[in-house]
Amino acid sequence: MITIPATFAARLRTPEQRRWLTFLPEMVERYLRRWDLRLDGEPMHGYSGLVVPVRAADRAAVLKVSWPHVEARDEAVALTTWQGAGAVELLDHDSADFVLLLERLDAARDLTCEPIDRAVDIAGELLRRLAVPAPVLHRSLAEQADRWCMELPTEAARLGNVVPAGMIDRAVGLCRGARRRSRVRGHPLVTQQIS
């Protein structure tokens, strides 16, 4: 059974999140069995997802289990759309449990290790690969813009207003504009949604 890193557990504070954490080791074990995976290192984490290094047959991979939240809902859809071209390859997933089996990337390699000219070329190539038609997602740009209009000022205040108010006002204005444009019939944002 895996041990949940204390730094990850500390991020999840609501009663629902605390309950989810109690079942997380069991969920990881279930997916290890389901996809015939072996543990291959200590769990790591981001803000809302636990990442467990595993081996799938002869391939290094990671099992990512995210706290169920709106931003993670369409992650598998986006990764399926890119098919490993410019983004991590999705090997398997279970959307109901917010579980992804992903190729393992080399965390020690990033563009800061490259000369600036080479890094710019690589970034440009990645952007070209990622520029594909948007898939249909669970939430629309209008819904996300509404959410950001409410959340940005609240979060800025919660964090002690470290971001200048003018920047928050500008961001909220851009969200309102995106919402208005997405409602215009025939506008590309009506059919394309974001993750």
Side-chain angles (χ1 to χ4, degrees):
M1 193 80 61
I2 64 159
T3 300
I4 306 298
T7 50
F8 180 62
R11 293 175 184 264
L12 302 175
R13 298 184 181 121
T14 69
E16 283 179 326
Q17 291 170 333
R18 302 306 294 174
R19 274 192 300 278
W20 179 80
L21 274 173
T22 63
F23 295 107
L24 185 54
E26 180 184 309
M27 187 184 313
V28 169
E29 290 295 325
R30 189 169 70 242
Y31 281 94
L32 290 174
R33 287 188 304 273
R34 177 176 168 180
W35 290 330
D36 195 23
L37 306 171
R38 295 185 322 274
L39 291 175
D40 191 34
E42 294 298 314
M44 303 168 278
H45 66 88
Y47 187 79
S48 61
L50 185 72
V51 177
V52 182
V54 296
R55 293 212 61 89
D58 290 328
R59 183 175 190 171
V62 294
L63 184 68
K64 180 182 178 187
V65 185
S66 295
W67 156 251
H69 61 288
V70 68
E71 286 85 2
R73 176 182 259 171
D74 289 315
E75 193 171 5
V77 175
L79 292 174
T80 299
T81 299
W82 287 315
Q83 299 178 339
V88 67
E89 183 182 0
L90 178 67
L91 305 174
D92 209 335
H93 71 284
D94 187 320
S95 296
D97 282 336
F98 290 74
V99 177
L100 305 173
L101 181 61
L102 305 166
E103 74 173 310
R104 191 182 313 172
L105 302 179
D106 183 353
R109 287 186 60 214
D110 63 33
L111 290 182
T112 62
C113 300
E114 298 291 335
I116 189 67
D117 290 345
R118 174 111 173 95
V120 168
D121 288 345
I122 292 169
E125 178 58 32
L126 285 173
L127 289 173
R128 279 188 289 282
R129 287 186 200 171
L130 295 173
V132 299
V136 175
L137 303 177
H138 289 92
R139 60 192 166 130
S140 69
L141 176 59
E143 292 165 337
Q144 186 62 46
D146 277 347
R147 186 169 162 221
W148 284 335
C149 284
M150 291 184 298
E151 288 181 359
L152 288 173
T154 303
E155 277 298 296
R158 186 183 71 77
L159 296 171
N161 296 311
V162 294
V163 176
M167 291 179 75
I168 297 298
D169 293 343
R170 176 75 174 129
V172 169
L174 290 170
C175 288
R176 286 189 182 125
R179 178 148 182 40
R180 279 191 302 276
R181 286 189 304 277
S182 73
R183 293 208 177 276
V184 175
R185 187 169 171 76
H187 192 279
L189 295 179
V190 173
T191 55
Q192 291 187 353
Q193 301 178 11
I194 62 171
S195 67

